[in-house]
Amino acid sequence: MDLFTKAYTYDTAKKAKQGGFYPYFHELSSKQDVLVEMEGHEVIMIGSNNYLGLTTHPEVIKASMEATEKYGTGVSGSRFLNGTLDLHLELEKDLAKFLGKEDATIFSTGYQSNLGFISAIAGRNDLIFSDKENHASIYDGIKLSYAEMIRYNHNDMDDLEKKLAAADPKKGKLIVTDGVFSMGGDLCKLPELVKLAKKYGARLMVDDAHGLGVMGKTGRGTAEHFDLMNEVDIVMGTFSKSLASSGGFIAGEKDVIEYIRHHSRPYIFNAAIPPSNTAAAHAALKVLMREPERVENLRKVSNYVREGLKSRGLKIRESITPIIPIFTYTPIRTMVACNTLFKNGVYVNPVVPPATAHGECLIRTSYMATHPKELLDKAMDTIVKVLNELPSEEEILKWKLQ
């Protein structure tokens, strides 16, 4: 059998394109901002993770350009060898200080941060307890570690405790959770997780990709929100969201971080984050530390939209984050809704299986601290109009396939 047969026979995307409800890979031709240029027309961007709106901040852009002028476009090697810049070390120092940890180290992407830490710290004789709605990078890190994965029901602390209680006490144990779950926008139950980790001798890791710059009074993340910054063993974060760049990091005890630097294959065998990305993330971090009011602005924007959508009669998944999902239930209705919104000047993200459970498909909207109310009102009015006029799945299929 030809290995490529699966590729030649794959027609799901082709059918969606032919049916006019393929919602992916829209071409962006402007900065990532509250208004963007996509495929020749202007749309309101409420599908970005640029939570603090810093991708267009003059200081962040300037830092990125100056770093390229000074260091060139790349490092041409891994951190382990010739790829460590003074920029990397300065950013790591400030990240650790910001999060109240002894040390931090940065990876080329957020995905690799999870992959690199989990695969290095755990092995065949260890157990990893993972929330069922954790990010894919966590699951892939567990696979690479060869540790035994024990999944617990989403945010179900009773289920987690039963599984911790039944575990071999002689094995190393790691509990891993998203801080802010990326699709639903809900928070992990950190106080309960801390208690269970202590009770059963487990270590606790929080993926705060969507929590950094978003949660807590000063944007230090989920642990700050719950006043538990000293109780989380490992904090993971990304630069591609609030910090307006690309890359990721882990922060924790110095000995643990040093171990990762010498044992993580995705860290050792991957080229280091480029100078421009490093400088941009560092500049964004400095803006966040200097202007914590951006976090409060983001909270106000999110609350404004949450109340606005509910007052307009839409059913949303409740949260306190800038990720606000709107239920559309089936894949085809979700994709058609997203495409129709795009044509009407609003960009949102479709969430369908396996990213969500069957029957719980949704439109994922996400907001920036810099969104003005007039754009938000326009976006909400458009969403309501499109969803109220959206036909059933049967009607869509009949119409599209005629």
Side-chain angles (χ1 to χ4, degrees), residues 147-176:
E148 180 183 350
M149 177 172 63
I150 301 173
R151 301 171 73 203
Y152 62 91
N153 294 330
H154 176 53
N155 263 342
D156 187 336
M157 297 298 99
D158 290 335
D159 187 41
L160 174 58
E161 182 160 20
K162 287 176 185 176
K163 289 170 178 175
L164 283 166
D168 185 345
K170 295 179 181 179
K171 291 190 174 184
K173 294 181 282 295
L174 176 68
I175 301 171
V176 188

PDB file of all heavy atoms in Angstrom, residues 147-176:
ATOM      1  N   ALA A 147       5.945   8.517  30.054  1.00  0.00           N
ATOM      2  CA  ALA A 147       5.286   8.351  31.350  1.00  0.00           C
ATOM      3  C   ALA A 147       3.863   7.848  31.119  1.00  0.00           C
ATOM      4  O   ALA A 147       3.310   7.970  30.035  1.00  0.00           O
ATOM      5  CB  ALA A 147       5.262   9.678  32.098  1.00  0.00           C
ATOM      6  N   GLU A 148       3.261   7.298  32.164  1.00  0.00           N
ATOM      7  CA  GLU A 148       1.875   6.856  32.073  1.00  0.00           C
ATOM      8  C   GLU A 148       0.954   8.058  32.205  1.00  0.00           C
ATOM      9  O   GLU A 148       1.039   8.806  33.178  1.00  0.00           O
ATOM     10  CB  GLU A 148       1.550   5.835  33.163  1.00  0.00           C
ATOM     11  CG  GLU A 148       0.119   5.336  33.111  1.00  0.00           C
ATOM     12  CD  GLU A 148      -0.236   4.387  34.234  1.00  0.00           C
ATOM     13  OE1 GLU A 148       0.682   3.953  34.962  1.00  0.00           O
ATOM     14  OE2 GLU A 148      -1.438   4.094  34.396  1.00  0.00           O
ATOM     15  N   MET A 149       0.093   8.246  31.219  1.00  0.00           N
ATOM     16  CA  MET A 149      -0.851   9.360  31.259  1.00  0.00           C
ATOM     17  C   MET A 149      -2.158   8.916  31.896  1.00  0.00           C
ATOM     18  O   MET A 149      -2.740   7.902  31.507  1.00  0.00           O
ATOM     19  CB  MET A 149      -1.130   9.894  29.851  1.00  0.00           C
ATOM     20  CG  MET A 149      -2.173  11.016  29.824  1.00  0.00           C
ATOM     21  SD  MET A 149      -2.348  11.814  28.217  1.00  0.00           S
ATOM     22  CE  MET A 149      -2.919  10.448  27.200  1.00  0.00           C
ATOM     23  N   ILE A 150      -2.606   9.689  32.889  1.00  0.00           N
ATOM     24  CA  ILE A 150      -3.887   9.437  33.541  1.00  0.00           C
ATOM     25  C   ILE A 150      -4.735  10.688  33.360  1.00  0.00           C
ATOM     26  O   ILE A 150      -4.455  11.729  33.952  1.00  0.00           O
ATOM     27  CB  ILE A 150      -3.692   9.108  35.036  1.00  0.00           C
ATOM     28  CG1 ILE A 150      -2.792   7.877  35.188  1.00  0.00           C
ATOM     29  CG2 ILE A 150      -5.049   8.889  35.711  1.00  0.00           C
ATOM     30  CD1 ILE A 150      -2.410   7.567  36.614  1.00  0.00           C
ATOM     31  N   ARG A 151      -5.753  10.599  32.525  1.00  0.00           N
ATOM     32  CA  ARG A 151      -6.605  11.746  32.238  1.00  0.00           C
ATOM     33  C   ARG A 151      -7.723  11.824  33.269  1.00  0.00           C
ATOM     34  O   ARG A 151      -8.299  10.809  33.652  1.00  0.00           O
ATOM     35  CB  ARG A 151      -7.201  11.637  30.841  1.00  0.00           C
ATOM     36  CG  ARG A 151      -6.176  11.564  29.726  1.00  0.00           C
ATOM     37  CD  ARG A 151      -6.843  11.234  28.404  1.00  0.00           C
ATOM     38  NE  ARG A 151      -7.598  12.368  27.890  1.00  0.00           N
ATOM     39  CZ  ARG A 151      -8.600  12.262  27.036  1.00  0.00           C
ATOM     40  NH1 ARG A 151      -9.016  11.072  26.631  1.00  0.00           N
ATOM     41  NH2 ARG A 151      -9.230  13.331  26.595  1.00  0.00           N
ATOM     42  N   TYR A 152      -8.014  13.029  33.711  1.00  0.00           N
ATOM     43  CA  TYR A 152      -9.163  13.218  34.589  1.00  0.00           C
ATOM     44  C   TYR A 152     -10.169  14.142  33.913  1.00  0.00           C
ATOM     45  O   TYR A 152      -9.817  14.971  33.068  1.00  0.00           O
ATOM     46  CB  TYR A 152      -8.742  13.747  35.962  1.00  0.00           C
ATOM     47  CG  TYR A 152      -8.059  15.099  35.985  1.00  0.00           C
ATOM     48  CD1 TYR A 152      -8.787  16.279  36.126  1.00  0.00           C
ATOM     49  CD2 TYR A 152      -6.668  15.202  35.901  1.00  0.00           C
ATOM     50  CE1 TYR A 152      -8.168  17.513  36.164  1.00  0.00           C
ATOM     51  CE2 TYR A 152      -6.028  16.434  35.944  1.00  0.00           C
ATOM     52  CZ  TYR A 152      -6.786  17.589  36.074  1.00  0.00           C
ATOM     53  OH  TYR A 152      -6.157  18.814  36.115  1.00  0.00           O
ATOM     54  N   ASN A 153     -11.438  13.960  34.260  1.00  0.00           N
ATOM     55  CA  ASN A 153     -12.503  14.751  33.655  1.00  0.00           C
ATOM     56  C   ASN A 153     -12.267  16.235  33.882  1.00  0.00           C
ATOM     57  O   ASN A 153     -11.743  16.641  34.926  1.00  0.00           O
ATOM     58  CB  ASN A 153     -13.862  14.337  34.216  1.00  0.00           C
ATOM     59  CG  ASN A 153     -14.237  12.923  33.832  1.00  0.00           C
ATOM     60  OD1 ASN A 153     -13.840  12.428  32.767  1.00  0.00           O
ATOM     61  ND2 ASN A 153     -14.982  12.248  34.682  1.00  0.00           N
ATOM     62  N   HIS A 154     -12.688  17.020  32.909  1.00  0.00           N
ATOM     63  CA  HIS A 154     -12.383  18.444  32.930  1.00  0.00           C
ATOM     64  C   HIS A 154     -12.808  19.115  34.233  1.00  0.00           C
ATOM     65  O   HIS A 154     -13.997  19.116  34.591  1.00  0.00           O
ATOM     66  CB  HIS A 154     -13.043  19.132  31.748  1.00  0.00           C
ATOM     67  CG  HIS A 154     -12.866  20.613  31.720  1.00  0.00           C
ATOM     68  ND1 HIS A 154     -11.619  21.210  31.807  1.00  0.00           N
ATOM     69  CD2 HIS A 154     -13.770  21.625  31.643  1.00  0.00           C
ATOM     70  CE1 HIS A 154     -11.767  22.529  31.775  1.00  0.00           C
ATOM     71  NE2 HIS A 154     -13.064  22.804  31.680  1.00  0.00           N
ATOM     72  N   ASN A 155     -11.808  19.671  34.918  1.00  0.00           N
ATOM     73  CA  ASN A 155     -12.024  20.420  36.164  1.00  0.00           C
ATOM     74  C   ASN A 155     -12.784  19.627  37.223  1.00  0.00           C
ATOM     75  O   ASN A 155     -13.406  20.211  38.125  1.00  0.00           O
ATOM     76  CB  ASN A 155     -12.756  21.740  35.884  1.00  0.00           C
ATOM     77  CG  ASN A 155     -11.796  22.919  35.769  1.00  0.00           C
ATOM     78  OD1 ASN A 155     -10.649  22.860  36.213  1.00  0.00           O
ATOM     79  ND2 ASN A 155     -12.269  23.998  35.178  1.00  0.00           N
ATOM     80  N   ASP A 156     -12.710  18.296  37.146  1.00  0.00           N
ATOM     81  CA  ASP A 156     -13.401  17.419  38.093  1.00  0.00           C
ATOM     82  C   ASP A 156     -12.413  16.973  39.168  1.00  0.00           C
ATOM     83  O   ASP A 156     -11.650  16.027  38.979  1.00  0.00           O
ATOM     84  CB  ASP A 156     -13.973  16.214  37.346  1.00  0.00           C
ATOM     85  CG  ASP A 156     -14.859  15.341  38.226  1.00  0.00           C
ATOM     86  OD1 ASP A 156     -14.696  15.372  39.468  1.00  0.00           O
ATOM     87  OD2 ASP A 156     -15.704  14.610  37.667  1.00  0.00           O
ATOM     88  N   MET A 157     -12.426  17.664  40.288  1.00  0.00           N
ATOM     89  CA  MET A 157     -11.453  17.401  41.338  1.00  0.00           C
ATOM     90  C   MET A 157     -11.719  16.083  42.055  1.00  0.00           C
ATOM     91  O   MET A 157     -10.791  15.443  42.560  1.00  0.00           O
ATOM     92  CB  MET A 157     -11.426  18.557  42.330  1.00  0.00           C
ATOM     93  CG  MET A 157     -10.979  19.893  41.707  1.00  0.00           C
ATOM     94  SD  MET A 157      -9.290  19.881  41.031  1.00  0.00           S
ATOM     95  CE  MET A 157      -9.595  19.634  39.279  1.00  0.00           C
ATOM     96  N   ASP A 158     -12.965  15.650  42.094  1.00  0.00           N
ATOM     97  CA  ASP A 158     -13.270  14.347  42.690  1.00  0.00           C
ATOM     98  C   ASP A 158     -12.673  13.233  41.846  1.00  0.00           C
ATOM     99  O   ASP A 158     -12.105  12.264  42.372  1.00  0.00           O
ATOM    100  CB  ASP A 158     -14.786  14.149  42.819  1.00  0.00           C
ATOM    101  CG  ASP A 158     -15.404  15.046  43.880  1.00  0.00           C
ATOM    102  OD1 ASP A 158     -14.669  15.458  44.810  1.00  0.00           O
ATOM    103  OD2 ASP A 158     -16.611  15.340  43.775  1.00  0.00           O
ATOM    104  N   ASP A 159     -12.808  13.353  40.537  1.00  0.00           N
ATOM    105  CA  ASP A 159     -12.237  12.356  39.633  1.00  0.00           C
ATOM    106  C   ASP A 159     -10.717  12.331  39.747  1.00  0.00           C
ATOM    107  O   ASP A 159     -10.100  11.257  39.799  1.00  0.00           O
ATOM    108  CB  ASP A 159     -12.657  12.673  38.192  1.00  0.00           C
ATOM    109  CG  ASP A 159     -12.242  11.586  37.213  1.00  0.00           C
ATOM    110  OD1 ASP A 159     -12.366  10.397  37.558  1.00  0.00           O
ATOM    111  OD2 ASP A 159     -11.788  11.932  36.098  1.00  0.00           O
ATOM    112  N   LEU A 160     -10.113  13.508  39.816  1.00  0.00           N
ATOM    113  CA  LEU A 160      -8.660  13.573  39.962  1.00  0.00           C
ATOM    114  C   LEU A 160      -8.218  12.933  41.271  1.00  0.00           C
ATOM    115  O   LEU A 160      -7.247  12.159  41.296  1.00  0.00           O
ATOM    116  CB  LEU A 160      -8.191  15.034  39.908  1.00  0.00           C
ATOM    117  CG  LEU A 160      -6.707  15.265  40.200  1.00  0.00           C
ATOM    118  CD1 LEU A 160      -5.812  14.483  39.245  1.00  0.00           C
ATOM    119  CD2 LEU A 160      -6.373  16.758  40.143  1.00  0.00           C
ATOM    120  N   GLU A 161      -8.908  13.221  42.366  1.00  0.00           N
ATOM    121  CA  GLU A 161      -8.479  12.660  43.655  1.00  0.00           C
ATOM    122  C   GLU A 161      -8.594  11.140  43.671  1.00  0.00           C
ATOM    123  O   GLU A 161      -7.723  10.455  44.217  1.00  0.00           O
ATOM    124  CB  GLU A 161      -9.280  13.252  44.806  1.00  0.00           C
ATOM    125  CG  GLU A 161      -8.819  12.705  46.159  1.00  0.00           C
ATOM    126  CD  GLU A 161      -9.201  13.543  47.348  1.00  0.00           C
ATOM    127  OE1 GLU A 161     -10.131  14.354  47.238  1.00  0.00           O
ATOM    128  OE2 GLU A 161      -8.542  13.390  48.405  1.00  0.00           O
ATOM    129  N   LYS A 162      -9.648  10.596  43.079  1.00  0.00           N
ATOM    130  CA  LYS A 162      -9.782   9.137  43.019  1.00  0.00           C
ATOM    131  C   LYS A 162      -8.588   8.521  42.310  1.00  0.00           C
ATOM    132  O   LYS A 162      -8.059   7.482  42.720  1.00  0.00           O
ATOM    133  CB  LYS A 162     -11.072   8.765  42.286  1.00  0.00           C
ATOM    134  CG  LYS A 162     -12.342   9.022  43.073  1.00  0.00           C
ATOM    135  CD  LYS A 162     -13.574   8.707  42.225  1.00  0.00           C
ATOM    136  CE  LYS A 162     -14.860   9.081  42.966  1.00  0.00           C
ATOM    137  NZ  LYS A 162     -16.071   8.860  42.110  1.00  0.00           N
ATOM    138  N   LYS A 163      -8.156   9.173  41.251  1.00  0.00           N
ATOM    139  CA  LYS A 163      -7.047   8.629  40.468  1.00  0.00           C
ATOM    140  C   LYS A 163      -5.709   8.829  41.167  1.00  0.00           C
ATOM    141  O   LYS A 163      -4.818   7.980  41.080  1.00  0.00           O
ATOM    142  CB  LYS A 163      -7.068   9.251  39.073  1.00  0.00           C
ATOM    143  CG  LYS A 163      -8.257   8.719  38.267  1.00  0.00           C
ATOM    144  CD  LYS A 163      -8.511   9.435  36.965  1.00  0.00           C
ATOM    145  CE  LYS A 163      -9.684   8.761  36.251  1.00  0.00           C
ATOM    146  NZ  LYS A 163     -10.103   9.448  35.036  1.00  0.00           N
ATOM    147  N   LEU A 164      -5.558   9.931  41.881  1.00  0.00           N
ATOM    148  CA  LEU A 164      -4.349  10.135  42.678  1.00  0.00           C
ATOM    149  C   LEU A 164      -4.277   9.118  43.818  1.00  0.00           C
ATOM    150  O   LEU A 164      -3.206   8.560  44.113  1.00  0.00           O
ATOM    151  CB  LEU A 164      -4.329  11.554  43.251  1.00  0.00           C
ATOM    152  CG  LEU A 164      -3.955  12.679  42.282  1.00  0.00           C
ATOM    153  CD1 LEU A 164      -4.318  14.034  42.887  1.00  0.00           C
ATOM    154  CD2 LEU A 164      -2.461  12.642  41.955  1.00  0.00           C
ATOM    155  N   ALA A 165      -5.410   8.878  44.461  1.00  0.00           N
ATOM    156  CA  ALA A 165      -5.450   7.954  45.596  1.00  0.00           C
ATOM    157  C   ALA A 165      -5.121   6.527  45.165  1.00  0.00           C
ATOM    158  O   ALA A 165      -4.541   5.751  45.940  1.00  0.00           O
ATOM    159  CB  ALA A 165      -6.828   8.000  46.258  1.00  0.00           C
ATOM    160  N   ALA A 166      -5.484   6.183  43.925  1.00  0.00           N
ATOM    161  CA  ALA A 166      -5.249   4.821  43.437  1.00  0.00           C
ATOM    162  C   ALA A 166      -3.846   4.638  42.858  1.00  0.00           C
ATOM    163  O   ALA A 166      -3.451   3.523  42.526  1.00  0.00           O
ATOM    164  CB  ALA A 166      -6.289   4.477  42.374  1.00  0.00           C
ATOM    165  N   ALA A 167      -3.093   5.708  42.751  1.00  0.00           N
ATOM    166  CA  ALA A 167      -1.767   5.649  42.108  1.00  0.00           C
ATOM    167  C   ALA A 167      -0.721   5.036  43.023  1.00  0.00           C
ATOM    168  O   ALA A 167      -0.810   5.109  44.261  1.00  0.00           O
ATOM    169  CB  ALA A 167      -1.348   7.050  41.689  1.00  0.00           C
ATOM    170  N   ASP A 168       0.281   4.451  42.423  1.00  0.00           N
ATOM    171  CA  ASP A 168       1.411   3.874  43.156  1.00  0.00           C
ATOM    172  C   ASP A 168       2.184   4.999  43.841  1.00  0.00           C
ATOM    173  O   ASP A 168       2.741   5.878  43.169  1.00  0.00           O
ATOM    174  CB  ASP A 168       2.320   3.134  42.168  1.00  0.00           C
ATOM    175  CG  ASP A 168       3.454   2.391  42.848  1.00  0.00           C
ATOM    176  OD1 ASP A 168       3.732   2.662  44.037  1.00  0.00           O
ATOM    177  OD2 ASP A 168       4.078   1.543  42.179  1.00  0.00           O
ATOM    178  N   PRO A 169       2.245   4.998  45.179  1.00  0.00           N
ATOM    179  CA  PRO A 169       2.933   6.088  45.887  1.00  0.00           C
ATOM    180  C   PRO A 169       4.437   6.134  45.638  1.00  0.00           C
ATOM    181  O   PRO A 169       5.086   7.146  45.929  1.00  0.00           O
ATOM    182  CB  PRO A 169       2.628   5.784  47.358  1.00  0.00           C
ATOM    183  CG  PRO A 169       2.334   4.321  47.398  1.00  0.00           C
ATOM    184  CD  PRO A 169       1.672   4.004  46.099  1.00  0.00           C
ATOM    185  N   LYS A 170       4.976   5.073  45.073  1.00  0.00           N
ATOM    186  CA  LYS A 170       6.416   5.032  44.818  1.00  0.00           C
ATOM    187  C   LYS A 170       6.797   5.729  43.503  1.00  0.00           C
ATOM    188  O   LYS A 170       7.977   5.953  43.238  1.00  0.00           O
ATOM    189  CB  LYS A 170       6.898   3.579  44.781  1.00  0.00           C
ATOM    190  CG  LYS A 170       6.758   2.855  46.123  1.00  0.00           C
ATOM    191  CD  LYS A 170       7.237   1.419  46.025  1.00  0.00           C
ATOM    192  CE  LYS A 170       7.063   0.693  47.349  1.00  0.00           C
ATOM    193  NZ  LYS A 170       7.499  -0.727  47.259  1.00  0.00           N
ATOM    194  N   LYS A 171       5.784   6.022  42.692  1.00  0.00           N
ATOM    195  CA  LYS A 171       6.066   6.639  41.397  1.00  0.00           C
ATOM    196  C   LYS A 171       6.006   8.168  41.483  1.00  0.00           C
ATOM    197  O   LYS A 171       5.253   8.728  42.276  1.00  0.00           O
ATOM    198  CB  LYS A 171       5.067   6.141  40.354  1.00  0.00           C
ATOM    199  CG  LYS A 171       5.245   4.668  40.000  1.00  0.00           C
ATOM    200  CD  LYS A 171       4.399   4.274  38.806  1.00  0.00           C
ATOM    201  CE  LYS A 171       4.690   2.842  38.379  1.00  0.00           C
ATOM    202  NZ  LYS A 171       3.941   2.458  37.156  1.00  0.00           N
ATOM    203  N   GLY A 172       6.826   8.817  40.666  1.00  0.00           N
ATOM    204  CA  GLY A 172       6.782  10.268  40.577  1.00  0.00           C
ATOM    205  C   GLY A 172       5.475  10.713  39.951  1.00  0.00           C
ATOM    206  O   GLY A 172       4.974  10.069  39.019  1.00  0.00           O
ATOM    207  N   LYS A 173       4.916  11.809  40.456  1.00  0.00           N
ATOM    208  CA  LYS A 173       3.603  12.248  39.979  1.00  0.00           C
ATOM    209  C   LYS A 173       3.631  13.731  39.613  1.00  0.00           C
ATOM    210  O   LYS A 173       4.148  14.554  40.360  1.00  0.00           O
ATOM    211  CB  LYS A 173       2.543  12.004  41.064  1.00  0.00           C
ATOM    212  CG  LYS A 173       2.294  10.520  41.357  1.00  0.00           C
ATOM    213  CD  LYS A 173       1.232  10.318  42.407  1.00  0.00           C
ATOM    214  CE  LYS A 173       1.763  10.559  43.809  1.00  0.00           C
ATOM    215  NZ  LYS A 173       2.782   9.587  44.225  1.00  0.00           N
ATOM    216  N   LEU A 174       3.056  14.032  38.457  1.00  0.00           N
ATOM    217  CA  LEU A 174       2.932  15.407  37.987  1.00  0.00           C
ATOM    218  C   LEU A 174       1.489  15.657  37.590  1.00  0.00           C
ATOM    219  O   LEU A 174       0.911  14.907  36.808  1.00  0.00           O
ATOM    220  CB  LEU A 174       3.845  15.646  36.780  1.00  0.00           C
ATOM    221  CG  LEU A 174       3.747  17.026  36.102  1.00  0.00           C
ATOM    222  CD1 LEU A 174       4.273  18.121  37.029  1.00  0.00           C
ATOM    223  CD2 LEU A 174       4.512  17.033  34.777  1.00  0.00           C
ATOM    224  N   ILE A 175       0.900  16.716  38.144  1.00  0.00           N
ATOM    225  CA  ILE A 175      -0.418  17.172  37.710  1.00  0.00           C
ATOM    226  C   ILE A 175      -0.200  18.334  36.753  1.00  0.00           C
ATOM    227  O   ILE A 175       0.494  19.297  37.081  1.00  0.00           O
ATOM    228  CB  ILE A 175      -1.278  17.641  38.897  1.00  0.00           C
ATOM    229  CG1 ILE A 175      -1.468  16.501  39.911  1.00  0.00           C
ATOM    230  CG2 ILE A 175      -2.632  18.145  38.412  1.00  0.00           C
ATOM    231  CD1 ILE A 175      -2.118  16.957  41.207  1.00  0.00           C
ATOM    232  N   VAL A 176      -0.791  18.235  35.561  1.00  0.00           N
ATOM    233  CA  VAL A 176      -0.641  19.285  34.553  1.00  0.00           C
ATOM    234  C   VAL A 176      -2.011  19.817  34.180  1.00  0.00           C
ATOM    235  O   VAL A 176      -2.938  19.052  33.899  1.00  0.00           O
ATOM    236  CB  VAL A 176       0.053  18.777  33.276  1.00  0.00           C
ATOM    237  CG1 VAL A 176       0.364  19.942  32.345  1.00  0.00           C
ATOM    238  CG2 VAL A 176       1.330  18.034  33.610  1.00  0.00           C
TER     239      VAL A 176
END
